[in-house]
Amino acid sequence: MQSAEPADSVDLHRRRFMGAAAMIAAAAELGMTGPVKAAGSTTLPAITPGSNTSFGALRQVEAGVLSVGYAEAGPADGTPVILLHGWPYDIHSYVDVAPALAAANYRVIVPHLRGYGSTRFLSDQTPRNGEQAALGADIIALMDALKIQRAIVAGYDWGARTANIVAALWPERCKAMVSVSGYLIGSQAANRKPLPPVAEQAWWYQFYFATERGRLGYQENTRDFARLIWQTASPRWQFDGATFDRSAAAFDNPDHVAITIHNYRWRLGLAEGEPQFAEFERKLAEVPVITVPTITLEGDANGAPHPDASAYAKKFSGPYAHRLIEGGIGHNLPQEAPTAFAQAIVDVDRL
């Protein structure tokens, strides 16, 4: 799950744009009284969570240092949308979102991040690096491999952070963004600063992973660990065993534990990154403002550590709107509230 850089509180509505964004700001928030639409957007049919259980056959493409496993749906000439999952989840977070967007004529790409599912490193010699810039670079490499010049990027948890990084470092490749829990770009310097005790307690697993005991514990109990995170991060989501098992299969990836442990140790400055990402990390440590059209989302029952929406609004300088999704929605927002997430994609495309 994600940590975030604090930012000054601002009035979320101060920078609403006239036209499409103003309509969003004036409407009730999505999930409270119905869909909020940008000017000229399409209202998607309601999606019942759990309606779909499979993407069908996955595809595989060499991209950068990886062979990336991904699902694809929709017309090949549709506007590309790249949907990015979090930890410890997988592409099934979007199993209901993807077909809805495909039906709305989007080309939907849902990749397994490094360390998940059928995604594999091409070389045994490549460091199993989980630092944030590496994951961002993976998405640019994937876009290059698929000959996608610009895409809407969207995600939650690790996926939201990765979408933020793509939008911040490569805005020319990013048409728009949907980000659960807002602005999640971090830095090792910021993560050296202690938090209040209640906040530190919420990050218990990060400190656990800093130890060899934690690495072994995650390796030996990966599925039980992930189930616990699902339960605490989404306390009102009544997922069943089959739903969990479909995602948990992705954790059998031989690099999953190494990527997870490196990611959290890197955040605390306990593990080194790779030299080729140093300049990217320097730019990210400056907490760059994101200029592309953005909609941020938050569930009203998110049990994972996350910033308040007022803390990150000024980090978005382009057309921007924030939506609170009600109804007991937790951390895995696209799987728990697929209608809200898919509608945000359609609407941000019109901002």
Side-chain angles (χ1 to χ4, degrees):
M1 283 177 281
Q2 299 287 0
S3 58
E5 292 285 344
D8 295 334
S9 294
V10 296
D11 181 353
L12 280 173
H13 300 290
R14 179 171 60 84
R15 292 184 289 99
R16 305 292 193 194
F17 278 43
M18 292 187 295
M23 289 177 66
I24 292 173
E29 291 175 323
L30 186 63
M32 297 174 65
T33 58
V36 181
K37 299 188 294 178
S41 74
T42 300
T43 301
L44 297 178
I47 307 165
T48 301
S51 296
N52 299 281
T53 59
S54 173
F55 290 100
L58 299 188
R59 302 183 182 188
Q60 210 69 32
V61 65
E62 290 191 6
V65 299
L66 301 172
S67 172
V68 178
Y70 67 100
E72 181 166 355
D77 61 350
T79 297
V81 177
I82 300 176
L83 304 177
L84 303 169
H85 67 82
W87 173 88
Y89 304 89
D90 88 321
I91 62 174
H92 286 87
S93 292
Y94 298 104
V95 74
D96 290 320
V97 170
L101 292 176
N105 294 316
Y106 287 93
R107 179 189 180 188
V108 185
I109 308 292
V110 193
H112 276 295
L113 300 182
R114 54 170 61 192
Y116 293 82
S118 60
T119 293
R120 296 288 190 275
F121 286 89
L122 296 174
S123 171
D124 291 340
Q125 305 306 311
T126 303
R128 274 36 179 178
N129 178 3
E131 71 176 295
Q132 60 178 1
L135 273 72
D138 287 347
I139 302 310
I140 296 300
L142 176 63
M143 291 175 66
D144 289 344
L146 297 179
K147 297 180 170 52
I148 295 173
Q149 183 57 37
R150 294 176 73 224
I152 299 170
V153 293
Y156 69 100
D157 195 81
W158 286 26
R161 169 175 284 182
T162 302
N164 289 179
I165 290 168
V166 171
L169 294 182
W170 296 278
E172 72 282 1
R173 306 296 299 273
C174 184
K175 184 179 183 185
M177 180 176 71
V178 171
S179 178
V180 176
S181 297
Y183 189 93
L184 296 172
I185 294 172
S187 72
Q188 290 178 320
N191 287 336
R192 282 196 288 269
K193 299 175 183 177
L195 299 172
V198 67
E200 297 283 22
Q201 182 184 37
W203 286 107
W204 66 271
Y205 51 88
Q206 183 167 254
F207 302 111
Y208 181 61
F209 289 161
T211 68
E212 179 61 11
R213 176 187 174 98
R215 186 191 69 80
L216 289 172
Y218 189 60
Q219 179 177 288
E220 294 176 8
N221 305 286
T222 306
R223 294 197 179 203
D224 287 343
F225 201 107
R227 188 187 297 274
L228 175 63
I229 295 296
W230 281 36
Q231 291 167 339
T232 56
S234 299
R236 295 176 61 184
W237 183 29
Q238 300 300 311
F239 61 89
D240 59 23
T243 298
F244 177 79
D245 289 343
R246 281 189 289 272
S247 288
F251 313 149
D252 294 336
N253 182 293
D255 300 308
H256 177 75
V257 172
I259 294 297
T260 298
I261 297 302
H262 186 271
N263 177 282
Y264 286 103
R265 289 184 180 179
W266 179 88
R267 297 189 198 195
L268 295 178
L270 302 176
E272 296 295 326
E274 291 181 84
Q276 66 263 37
F277 301 119
E279 181 60 18
F280 292 151
E281 295 295 358
R282 184 192 66 76
K283 292 178 180 179
L284 295 173
E286 295 174 352
V287 290
V289 170
I290 291 173
T291 60
V292 305
T294 297
I295 292 176
T296 57
L297 304 173
E298 191 59 80
D300 65 340
N302 186 359
H306 64 278
D308 186 85
S310 64
Y312 53 70
K314 70 180 289 186
K315 302 307 296 181
F316 303 100
S317 65
Y320 173 69
H322 177 75
R323 299 175 180 178
L324 176 68
I325 312 305
E326 295 197 336
I329 304 304
H331 191 59
N332 184 3
L333 193 149
Q335 195 161 4
E336 298 175 59
T339 304
F341 194 92
Q343 188 66 53
I345 297 288
V346 172
D347 291 347
V348 81
D349 192 21
R350 272 63 172 187
L351 287 186

